[in-house]
Amino acid sequence: KSMFKRQTSSNIKLISKRTYAIALAIPFISLFVETKASKVFSAENQLVVQNIHTENFQSTHKFQDNKFNLNFDHILISEENKQKDKKDITKEKRVLISEIVIEGLENHPDKDRLEVIAYDAMLIRPGSKVTSEEVKKDLDRIYSSGWFSGARIESLDSPLGVKLLIKVDPNPILNKIKILPIGIKLSTTKLNEIFNDDYGKTLNLNTLQIRIKEIKDWYNSNGYSLARIFGPSRVTNDGIVELKVQEGYVSGIEIVFIDEDGNTEDKKGKLIKGKTRKWVIERELSTKAGDIFNRSKLESDIKRLYSTSLFNDVKVTLKPVINEPGNIILLLGITEQRTGSLTGGLGYSGAQ
């Protein structure tokens, strides 16, 4: 079995000007800590990952008097400091780490590099005296490196201290990015261009988030400002990463008329009726119900409406569709031209 070990090579000594010294007996702390920033389930040789970042730490502390019978060769403390140090040890529940072993990488093609990455992510070293909280933070650092889908720590008693077993779940070698649903605006060519430098390498979750932002930036630069990218919703053992894209569709278009005071209803509570037929307005719109929302396209539509000289103002509101995440109703608030001046603007509601 392949292991990555770091051991203590020398004893730790502290000697004051006085010659008094005592041997410390440090209670043993059995640590079991687990962290997974995404929940992971195994099914049919596949790793299914939920994107929500969660942390689950479990610590079991077992205190047994004189579990470590340390002699003067291990720790010497001066008489004037012994009371203070005893209080610190009791308060922080520190244990001496004698060895660190990285496990879980035995069959991974990138084993050697990932062993070093996991070890270097930690601040704890053999010879350190640590608390359970410091162990939790190191476990977080291992996950935050992006190379592992999960990590957990177990501890074993040894003659020289506590042996930490770091059991990691490495990400697979990235072979393919799968986007759902099929038939989205983003082409396979563009997708592969974004991930070209990552194929054939161990998947890094931090790098993956950068690539997801690049996909989002592509949608924005092409006018699809409602597009959202979610994932990874699934990562298989053979390196297929599944992402989901919500492009944002126009479910319908509604037109209302607004008077110069900004009202949509008259004094009797009835909707204000415009002089312009709605089909005249719809004729100027290239944006249709069922289209993927495109801001650039809509801005051109609004310019065409102004160019008719029929309207003083056009207000745009994007209304979310209930039970249809990402889809909107396009609401146009029209103020008809009366003074002969041409003013107006394009605004969006804060709902999107």
Side-chain angles (χ1 to χ4, degrees), residues 232-300:
S233 56
R234 189 171 167 187
V235 179
T236 66
N237 290 337
D238 55 355
I240 299 176
V241 175
E242 186 176 287
L243 302 176
K244 292 184 179 180
V245 174
Q246 181 179 283
E247 294 183 314
Y249 282 82
V250 178
S251 295
I253 299 175
E254 297 178 1
I255 299 172
V256 296
F257 290 95
I258 304 174
D259 64 19
E260 292 181 341
D261 296 323
N263 301 312
T264 58
E265 297 179 349
D266 58 22
K267 294 180 179 180
K268 296 182 180 180
K270 295 183 179 181
L271 289 175
I272 293 174
K273 293 184 179 180
K275 296 180 181 180
T276 308
R277 300 283 186 178
K278 288 188 177 181
W279 65 265
V280 174
I281 299 172
E282 292 170 346
R283 180 185 61 191
E284 302 300 324
L285 301 176
S286 62
T287 300
K288 306 295 181 183
D291 288 352
I292 298 174
F293 176 80
N294 188 291
R295 183 187 180 102
S296 301
K297 190 176 179 181
L298 179 59
E299 288 175 346
S300 297

Side-chain angles (χ1 to χ4, degrees), residues 97-160:
I97 303 303
S98 62
E99 185 179 357
I100 297 175
V101 180
I102 308 294
E103 296 184 335
L105 300 170
E106 291 75 16
N107 299 317
H108 199 284
D110 205 9
K111 177 180 69 69
D112 293 340
R113 189 173 69 91
L114 293 180
E115 283 177 338
V116 174
I117 288 172
Y119 185 80
D120 286 348
M122 302 175 63
L123 296 182
I124 297 173
R125 292 291 183 265
S128 303
K129 293 197 300 181
V130 301
T131 65
S132 60
E133 185 63 29
E134 289 170 332
V135 174
K136 292 177 186 179
K137 290 180 180 179
D138 262 8
L139 211 55
D140 235 359
R141 292 184 183 98
I142 292 174
Y143 178 81
S144 296
S145 70
W147 300 103
F148 308 97
S149 60
R152 58 196 179 278
I153 288 182
E154 295 180 6
S155 62
L156 297 175
D157 188 13
S158 72
L160 298 178

Side-chain angles (χ1 to χ4, degrees), residues 19-140:
T19 58
Y20 297 99
I22 62 170
L24 294 183
I26 302 178
F28 171 62
I29 299 180
S30 177
L31 301 173
F32 178 83
V33 186
E34 181 171 358
T35 180
K36 290 193 178 182
S38 54
K39 295 182 181 178
V40 180
F41 308 90
S42 295
E44 297 181 356
N45 200 33
Q46 293 180 336
L47 190 65
V48 182
V49 183
Q50 292 183 356
N51 190 44
I52 300 175
H53 187 119
T54 61
E55 294 181 352
N56 179 27
F57 293 126
Q58 296 179 345
S59 299
T60 302
H61 303 276
K62 296 180 181 179
F63 300 99
Q64 301 175 10
D65 292 337
N66 300 320
K67 187 67 177 182
F68 289 159
N69 295 316
L70 303 182
N71 56 32
F72 291 101
D73 290 333
H74 290 87
I75 301 177
L76 295 179
I77 299 182
S78 62
E79 184 179 76
E80 61 239 34
N81 293 326
K82 69 180 181 181
Q83 294 300 326
K84 179 180 177 180
D85 286 345
K86 279 184 177 180
K87 291 179 181 179
D88 290 343
I89 292 171
T90 301
K91 181 180 178 180
E92 300 188 22
K93 302 179 179 67
R94 293 183 177 274
V95 295
L96 179 66
I97 303 303
S98 62
E99 185 179 357
I100 297 175
V101 180
I102 308 294
E103 296 184 335
L105 300 170
E106 291 75 16
N107 299 317
H108 199 284
D110 205 9
K111 177 180 69 69
D112 293 340
R113 189 173 69 91
L114 293 180
E115 283 177 338
V116 174
I117 288 172
Y119 185 80
D120 286 348
M122 302 175 63
L123 296 182
I124 297 173
R125 292 291 183 265
S128 303
K129 293 197 300 181
V130 301
T131 65
S132 60
E133 185 63 29
E134 289 170 332
V135 174
K136 292 177 186 179
K137 290 180 180 179
D138 262 8
L139 211 55
D140 235 359

Side-chain angles (χ1 to χ4, degrees), residues 33 59 62 79 118 123 168 171 192 213 215 265 298 301 316 340 348 352:
V33 186
S59 299
K62 296 180 181 179
E79 184 179 76
L123 296 182
V168 296
N171 295 327
N192 288 334
K213 184 180 182 301
I215 296 175
E265 297 179 349
L298 179 59
D301 290 345
V316 177
Y348 291 85
Q352 295 293 326

